[in-house]
Amino acid sequence: MKRLSGLLFGLGILGVTATGPAMAEDCGGPVTANEALASEDARYAAQTGDDFGALQKLLGDDLVYIHSSAVVDTKSSYIESMKSGTVKYRVMRRSDVRVRTYGCVAIISGLGNFDVTVKGQDMAVEIRFHSIWAKRAHGLEFISWEATRTPPKQ
């Protein structure tokens, strides 16, 4: 057990000191709730409008996108799913939103109602979500999403 604790501690140290695209040094200054919501609106517009150029700019290279189905996408696989037509976001609405900011990071939580077509099948999806944005030197980037489907209404 002591050996395992040492290994986990060592991995933790590696995680803190490793260099990569999402280091604290990449912070581009504090983010406001309004900036985060405007960026989320821009992402929704880019997704429903198939604006892949805008998505390339809005999504961070280190994006982790966890769908309500438990499928996990990266920036490239997420954009490719839309380009290929596998996934088409038709309408994206959010409500019950709360924005928390921590320096250059903003976390948006809320309820989403999305009309989406997946592999040719139309569906309306209601989810609870977290959307995370990081303010970097060149602007805000969408870096993480996690969604959970809400239970069917009785």
Side-chain angles (χ1 to χ4, degrees):
M1 185 66 169
K2 188 173 185 178
R3 188 177 201 174
L4 179 60
S5 296
L7 175 63
L8 292 174
F9 177 77
L11 289 173
I13 293 296
L14 284 175
V16 170
T17 61
T19 59
M23 297 299 295
E25 295 84 29
D26 289 342
C27 187
V31 62
T32 68
N34 286 339
E35 286 175 306
L37 289 171
S39 293
E40 187 82 342
D41 287 342
R43 179 176 72 86
Y44 285 15
Q47 285 182 227
T48 57
D50 293 331
D51 186 345
F52 304 116
L55 285 172
Q56 281 291 341
K57 293 176 186 171
L58 289 166
L59 277 55
D61 290 338
D62 53 342
L63 175 67
V64 175
Y65 194 105
I66 304 172
H67 297 266
S68 62
S69 64
V71 169
V72 179
D73 271 315
T74 63
K75 177 180 180 175
S76 61
S77 65
Y78 187 57
I79 291 173
E80 182 54 35
S81 72
M82 289 179 276
K83 276 185 177 179
S84 70
T86 302
V87 177
K88 167 67 177 144
Y89 291 91
R90 298 185 323 273
V91 178
M92 299 174 74
R93 295 172 301 278
R94 66 174 183 266
S95 60
D96 194 22
V97 174
R98 180 174 176 213
V99 181
R100 293 169 288 150
T101 61
Y102 304 95
C104 62
V105 173
I107 302 170
I108 303 170
S109 303
L111 181 68
N113 286 282
F114 299 161
D115 295 339
V116 60
T117 303
V118 179
K119 297 179 182 173
Q121 183 167 354
D122 291 344
M123 54 179 73
V125 180
E126 184 176 84
I127 56 166
R128 286 277 173 197
F129 70 88
H130 274 121
S131 179
I132 303 176
W133 290 81
K135 191 170 195 178
R136 295 180 169 157
H138 52 278
L140 276 177
E141 288 187 349
F142 177 55
I143 61 168
S144 188
W145 171 270
E146 185 162 6
T148 302
R149 285 196 186 179
T150 60
K153 292 183 169 96
Q154 305 258 1

